Amino acid sequence: MTLNDMNPIDKWAMFVSTGLMFLGIVVLGFLELLDGTPHGAAPITNDAGDVIATPLVDPTIRTGLVIAGLVVLLLLGVYRLMVPVTGPEETPTAQTAD
Amino acid sequence: MATQTQTPLLGEHTRLNLRGGWQQYWLASLRLLVGWWFLHAGLSKLLADGLNYTYGPIYLQGMTDTALGGIPVWMGNNLAWLIKPGVPLFETLIGLAIMVGLLTRLAAFGGVFFMTLFWVGNAGFGHGLVNGDLMGLLLFLTVGILGAGRYFGLDALVEKTGFVENHPRLRYLLG
């Protein structure tokens, strides 16, 4: 079976969860790089502790996107506990193919 | 020899094609190492502080202005009775469960929960969001999604019992 044959709920959860994680980590991380110093996700301070440069996107927003992705996976897990997959595909198999 | 294993979390038709040998062995090894990481963390806290890990609530109370909002601070203020014994106890149980591969997905969920708090709470983002805490979180997620307990783990045996076969939803806690 291919991705196209997957259950729509599983497929939706898979794409949304990973999409949120990629957005928070990769896409916004790349924009942070393009924006210049700081290239990381934390403010830069001088020796006196004063903030001299702040990230383009608040890390709270970026971590929030990742957490939202995790929550989608959690919700899918809870849903699957209530509505388990039925049929022959549900059983883990160990097949000798060669 | 090739082995196909369903990964229910990713959908009913998604099968991970794990060739026998290295892939299964490595997944089991990864499970052992990740499990030992948490087992060691839990046992060392138990040996040092017993069931009174007072730093747990203090750590949560310091988690202000995070993406988790007021949840950690509320937990630190109101659930100290649970957190003080819970942190060392749950870390130990999560580590042990993952090492032996029993209730692997449930334990991996616990690991993800812990690592999310550590990742957001430590906020070591000087080199970006991807740091050791996030890597740990992703390791637990990987162990759970792939059902790593089925490879040389007790879940492989438990899932063959009649009880689990009659209650297939348990596979979302096992695996």
Side-chain angles (χ1 to χ4, degrees):
Chain A
M1 293 289 180
T2 66
L3 283 176
N4 291 332
D5 302 318
M6 279 179 65
N7 180 302
I9 293 173
D10 291 282
K11 193 158 59 174
W12 180 88
M14 188 167 73
F15 289 140
V16 171
S17 62
T18 52
L20 286 167
M21 290 186 208
F22 287 143
L23 177 62
I25 295 171
V26 182
V27 175
L28 293 180
F30 187 67
L31 290 179
E32 201 73 67
L33 270 181
L34 294 180
D35 186 55
T37 306
H39 296 135
I44 294 180
T45 57
N46 60 20
D47 291 339
D50 303 320
V51 175
I52 55 174
T54 54
L56 173 69
V57 182
D58 190 323
T60 302
I61 295 172
R62 295 179 62 192
T63 53
L65 287 167
V66 177
I67 291 168
L70 293 173
V71 169
V72 171
L73 281 179
L74 171 66
L75 292 176
L76 175 66
V78 172
Y79 172 71
R80 279 292 168 223
L81 266 174
M82 293 186 293
V83 187
V85 174
T86 56
E89 292 287 328
E90 78 181 25
T91 307
T93 55
Q95 302 167 349
T96 302
D98 57 344
Chain B
M1 185 176 81
T3 300
Q4 290 188 326
T5 298
Q6 182 200 10
T7 58
L9 188 60
L10 293 181
E12 58 193 296
H13 301 307
T14 304
R15 281 173 178 269
L16 175 69
N17 190 14
L18 283 176
R19 291 202 166 274
W22 266 106
Q23 286 88 342
Q24 291 184 25
Y25 183 76
W26 179 249
L27 204 52
S29 302
L30 185 71
R31 205 188 71 232
L32 283 173
L33 292 169
V34 173
W36 170 246
W37 176 33
F38 253 48
L39 181 61
H40 178 269
L43 285 178
S44 58
K45 289 184 182 71
L46 278 176
L47 291 172
D49 302 307
L51 292 173
N52 189 30
Y53 185 64
T54 53
Y55 180 64
I58 295 170
Y59 179 84
L60 290 170
Q61 286 163 1
M63 285 180 65
T64 55
D65 299 326
T66 71
L68 293 169
I71 297 172
V73 177
W74 182 87
M75 289 170 64
N77 288 332
N78 297 284
L79 299 181
W81 57 272
L82 174 66
I83 292 164
K84 286 177 188 173
V87 169
L89 204 56
F90 288 132
E91 279 187 343
T92 302
L93 290 175
I94 288 168
L96 198 59
I98 287 187
M99 280 191 83
V100 300
L102 182 64
L103 288 167
T104 305
R105 285 192 162 127
L106 180 63
F109 164 75
V112 169
F113 179 77
F114 267 83
M115 290 314 301
T116 301
L117 288 173
F118 294 155
W119 180 54
V120 173
N122 293 339
F125 301 142
H127 296 288
L129 286 194
V130 181
N131 55 24
D133 291 329
L134 181 65
M135 285 293 118
L137 193 162
L138 295 178
L139 280 174
F140 278 113
L141 208 53
T142 303
V143 164
I145 286 178
L146 297 186
R150 290 173 181 157
Y151 308 101
F152 307 104
L154 294 179
D155 281 339
L157 303 174
V158 175
E159 287 193 338
K160 288 177 185 168
T161 62
F163 184 75
V164 175
E165 290 190 353
N166 291 332
H167 300 85
R169 67 187 63 199
L170 289 176
R171 293 205 173 91
Y172 297 95
L173 302 176
L174 299 163

